[in-house]
Amino acid sequence: MPYDYKPFPYVAPPGLSAPEPPHKVVIVGAGPIGLAMALDLANRGVPSVLLDDNDVVSMGSRAICWSKRSLELFDRFGIADKVLDKGMTWSVGRVCHGDDEIFSFDLAVDPGQRMPPFVNLQQYYVEEFLVERALAQPLIDLRFRNRVTGVDQTGEAAHVTVKTPDGQYGLTADYVIACDGARSTTRAMLDLDFEGEFFEERFLIADIEMEADFPPERWFWFEPTFHDGQSALLHRQADNIYRIDLQLGWDADPEEEKKPEKVIPRIEKVVGADFDLEWVSIYSFQCRRLREFVHGRVIFVGDSAHVVSPFGARGGNGGLQDVDNLGWKLAAVLDGRAPASLIDSYNRERVQAADENILQSTRATRFMTPANGAERLFRDQVLALARKAPFARGWVNSGRLSTPCVYALSAPDDLSLPEISRPGTVAPDAPQQNGWLLNELGRDVTLMALNCAAPAGLDLPVIAPRINDMIRARYLGDARQALYLVRPDQVIAARWVEADARQVRRAVDALWEGR
Amino acid sequence: MKLIDTPNLDDHDGFYAELLAAHRGLSEAQSHALNAQLVLILANHIGDRQVLSEALDLARKR
Ligand SMILES: Cc1cc2nc3c(=O)[nH]c(=O)nc-3n(C[C@H](O)[C@H](O)[C@H](O)COP(=O)(O)OP(=O)(O)OC[C@H]3O[C@@H](n4cnc5c(N)ncnc54)[C@H](O)[C@@H]3O)c2cc1C
């Protein structure tokens, strides 16, 4: 059954009849990232106007793999259970050369974490669930068929011009967040360009429906016989929908290749004749970003700020991590709880993350589509070696899947504590009596006191998790006790085996100053 | 510098002969493939990023 694209209602906005009072935040674009941004701000008490030029969710499925960290964020937005319920949890990937499997990997569902490593769910469902939450959230003013056609700013405020079916109006806001995707109008309005690499390769991406019972595993082929010498990917989604990616070569004519009479025979060679074509598109990919994500009162988040090839699932997942990073900072600046410079740390940290995502995606794309000469020689020989030597399997790159970036913080640390919870990492989850550590961390800067009392005289929430094996492995190692300072985005800001109130206070100050 | 660039291999003449023998009868493409695999195998065996970077620098030096 193909997805039913129900249009969301357009309502004539108040700004058409009389100027609207200034808003705190205007978000341009209600894709997954704009929706998540509005929900995160609302969770922190910040109202926003969310504008989208369209009135339906993403056409075609696009993103399918959602990472553990994204699921943890979905939990904060109240849609994780629906995503887990509807989606396909998977952990096994198989990598083939020719028609033989050369190795498989298992990302292994960790019983000590609430969320699995990955869930596959079509982007339109994720957007549908997010829209539902946004419409129910009184702090979000979601306006469909409101196309932003102009953006400009003074030192004090940003202005957008919006076109609707009933005419044009303007909005003023403290901040404009551009979540308008890879072809961002806002980016064009500010005369900004992406920098980076474009790949001269075309891929056919199709979603097909079939009653097969392929396991929910990621299958990747280098040079399969069914697709003469190019690469192919097969991955299961919800509703018996499967994603197929086929490398086509740069000379392929996109219009020609999109025609069902061309597409169907190609796919038949992969899965047989018994399927329906739901969606097909031809892509070439880029790994590029804006030099800066913050431009005064205009902030770029998601695909408007950076784009990657999809091998590694770093686009949508990376964008959601942008949201996680920006939400608490912007809320604090708008409330006057932090200096505007805190927002610069969004730029610094998410540029670091984008560079990591771009590096990983570029390497994977290059491995899949090597240039002739030495690149192709080594690629082919890594594949040949992988059949006979275990070490070479790790060198085979069909995409390094999204994990959160570890921010480069110069924060107090104690090297005797475990590496996986060092400052800059997202706090690893662990079970607690009735729930999970990440749910106990809440939305504020929190001090986690393990096997010790928090220093007296601190004005911040303290949690004292129950010590179990998982907590010990992730947060204590051989230490008897520890203190962890955790940011509102659940990133570890600093940690000590022992600290006094002054040391903790200093780390809290650094955190709010974005250092 | 961590890379050993002074004599370190016993019977280097013997190894050199073995290396040439391994290429005997191969086409140019097959020889390239063998060399590429050899580089990858040895790189993994060496297992030291700094040594490998220094080896690449030395190989590229004119
Ligand atoms: C084939 C493919 C596979 C992918 N697979 C994955 C995956 O498995 N996992 C993953 O994490 N990511 C994946 N991605 C990437 C993912 O789809 C994107 O990163 C994600 O959609 C970015 O979200 P966004 O909200 O930033 O932008 P978009 O989804 O592009 O949303 C932008 C929104 O802004 C609106 N808009 C644009 N201009 C204006 C304007 N002027 N005024 C008002 N509204 C405007 C648009 O209508 C749209 O709703 C994949 C992408 C592709 C193409």
Side-chain angles (χ1 to χ4, degrees):
Chain A
M1 204 182 24
Y3 182 80
D4 180 16
Y5 289 93
K6 286 198 203 75
F8 302 111
Y10 159 77
V11 180
L16 281 174
S17 39
E20 295 184 30
H23 295 277
K24 284 197 161 166
V25 176
V26 166
I27 301 170
V28 187
I33 306 310
L35 288 160
M37 193 72 242
L39 285 163
D40 191 67
L41 288 172
N43 276 347
R44 300 181 191 285
V46 178
S48 63
V49 179
L50 174 53
L51 306 168
D52 198 85
D53 58 355
N54 212 334
D55 62 356
V56 288
V57 293
S58 172
M59 279 292 178
S61 132
R62 297 168 73 203
I64 61 170
C65 298
W66 304 97
S67 69
K68 178 165 81 71
R69 186 60 190 152
S70 294
L71 294 165
E72 289 165 357
L73 299 183
F74 288 161
D75 193 34
R76 297 216 305 258
F77 307 146
I79 68 161
D81 289 331
K82 286 180 97 161
V83 170
L84 286 168
D85 191 44
K86 181 83 197 167
M88 304 294 293
T89 295
W90 66 276
S91 67
V92 172
R94 297 187 190 279
V95 180
C96 308
H97 184 211
D99 297 339
D100 306 326
E101 179 176 322
I102 45 176
F103 68 95
S104 64
F105 59 85
D106 189 346
L107 302 166
V109 175
D110 177 349
Q113 309 238 7
R114 164 139 189 244
M115 297 301 172
F118 278 95
V119 165
N120 280 9
L121 184 63
Q122 295 88 310
Q123 182 162 333
Y124 44 73
Y125 278 120
V126 170
E127 290 186 20
E128 178 192 310
F129 300 163
L130 289 171
V131 166
E132 219 168 78
R133 298 297 298 183
L135 289 173
Q137 168 54 265
L139 290 177
I140 300 175
D141 181 348
L142 173 49
R143 304 179 184 180
F144 296 103
R145 299 180 71 190
N146 274 241
R147 178 195 300 273
V148 171
T149 54
V151 180
D152 65 78
Q153 58 178 319
T154 61
E156 278 78 55
H159 309 277
V160 295
T161 310
V162 190
K163 234 178 105 183
T164 73
D166 297 325
Q168 189 165 300
Y169 70 102
L171 289 173
T172 296
D174 287 340
Y175 286 92
V176 167
I177 309 182
C179 300
D180 46 357
R183 296 203 191 89
S184 170
T185 313
T186 315
R187 209 172 58 225
M189 287 294 150
L190 267 59
D191 221 358
L192 301 169
D193 265 327
F194 273 160
E195 301 173 357
E197 205 166 338
F198 172 87
F199 296 97
E200 295 203 334
E201 185 56 73
R202 294 189 206 282
F203 290 85
L204 174 115
I205 314 271
D207 282 345
I208 60 168
E209 185 180 0
M210 62 177 176
E211 290 286 338
D213 209 20
F214 283 103
E217 298 175 340
R218 181 181 193 265
W219 284 70
F220 196 96
W221 290 268
F222 291 97
E223 309 184 313
T225 55
F226 60 73
H227 185 51
D228 39 277
Q230 312 236 33
S231 64
L233 174 74
L234 179 69
H235 217 172
R236 187 168 179 177
Q237 312 171 50
D239 297 341
N240 284 329
I241 303 283
Y242 291 77
R243 164 65 51 85
I244 292 181
D245 295 15
L246 295 172
Q247 184 188 353
L248 291 180
W250 181 236
D251 297 332
D253 173 356
E255 285 316 308
E256 194 54 31
E257 293 295 340
K258 257 203 292 218
K259 294 184 177 156
E261 63 267 29
K262 285 286 268 189
V263 174
I264 288 171
R266 284 194 190 279
I267 295 177
E268 275 180 356
K269 287 207 221 162
V270 190
V271 297
D274 213 4
F275 67 87
D276 292 318
L277 194 57
E278 210 202 36
W279 169 76
V280 62
S281 193
I282 310 281
Y283 284 91
S284 49
F285 295 119
Q286 324 176 7
C287 290
R288 312 199 310 155
R289 70 164 168 90
L290 278 177
R291 186 193 291 265
E292 306 278 343
F293 297 172
V294 178
H295 291 262
R297 294 185 169 271
V298 181
I299 305 172
F300 291 84
V301 178
D303 275 15
S304 71
H306 44 69
V307 286
V308 291
S309 70
F311 306 101
R314 289 168 180 268
N317 291 308
L320 287 169
Q321 289 158 34
D322 291 346
V323 168
D324 199 19
N325 192 291
L326 180 61
W328 66 277
K329 294 176 179 175
L330 192 58
V333 170
L334 286 167
D335 284 358
R337 284 182 284 122
S341 61
L342 180 58
I343 292 174
D344 298 338
S345 73
Y346 163 77
N347 186 62
R348 187 181 69 239
E349 292 178 344
R350 293 315 295 171
V351 162
Q352 184 201 337
D355 281 343
E356 191 174 302
N357 289 332
I358 285 170
L359 180 77
Q360 296 290 357
S361 305
T362 302
R363 286 175 175 172
T365 311
R366 189 159 295 148
F367 192 86
M368 271 169 235
T369 65
N372 286 328
E375 248 181 58
R376 167 128 227 146
L377 170 71
F378 278 104
R379 198 294 293 264
D380 288 351
Q381 296 317 311
V382 165
L383 288 170
L385 263 177
R387 288 168 174 262
K388 52 187 185 183
F391 85 82
R393 289 166 203 161
W395 295 38
V396 173
N397 194 342
S398 71
R400 308 288 183 220
L401 291 159
S402 171
T403 48
C405 172
V406 179
Y407 299 129
L409 301 179
S410 53
D413 187 12
D414 190 313
L415 297 176
S416 72
L417 296 169
E419 161 102 8
I420 63 158
S421 53
R422 65 193 181 281
T425 56
V426 173
D429 204 2
Q432 290 289 289
Q433 294 82 302
N434 306 316
W436 298 92
L437 180 65
L438 287 188
N439 296 119
E440 288 184 14
L441 279 172
R443 290 176 193 147
D444 295 319
V445 174
T446 302
L447 189 67
M448 195 157 76
L450 296 159
N451 248 350
C452 61
L458 286 172
D459 180 25
L460 79 172
V462 176
I463 62 165
R466 171 81 66 86
I467 307 295
N468 55 35
D469 287 350
M470 306 281 185
I471 292 278
R472 208 170 282 119
R474 279 158 202 173
Y475 290 97
L476 286 171
D478 296 329
R480 216 177 37 77
Q481 59 167 66
L483 288 166
Y484 280 79
L485 184 68
V486 187
R487 307 194 322 194
D489 54 1
Q490 303 181 326
V491 168
I492 308 234
R495 62 181 186 171
W496 308 263
V497 170
E498 265 175 280
D500 58 29
R502 220 171 43 105
Q503 285 170 291
V504 175
R505 225 174 273 129
R506 219 183 291 137
V508 173
D509 289 344
L511 183 165
W512 287 117
E513 284 161 25
R515 284 189 275 126
Chain B
M1 180 122 150
K2 265 180 112 185
L3 177 76
I4 302 169
D5 64 353
T6 52
N8 186 46
L9 180 65
D10 291 342
D11 188 26
H12 46 77
D13 289 345
F15 171 72
Y16 189 76
E18 196 177 334
L19 179 63
L20 296 193
H23 283 272
R24 202 162 298 137
L26 300 188
S27 67
E28 198 177 331
Q30 286 168 329
S31 261
H32 282 314
L34 182 122
N35 280 338
Q37 288 204 14
L38 203 55
V39 167
L40 299 170
I41 291 165
L42 295 176
N44 179 65
H45 183 86
I46 290 164
D48 183 325
R49 281 292 283 107
Q50 191 188 331
V51 169
L52 295 174
S53 293
E54 289 172 8
L56 284 170
D57 286 344
L58 178 60
R60 278 184 66 94
K61 196 164 133 191
R62 290 178 182 250

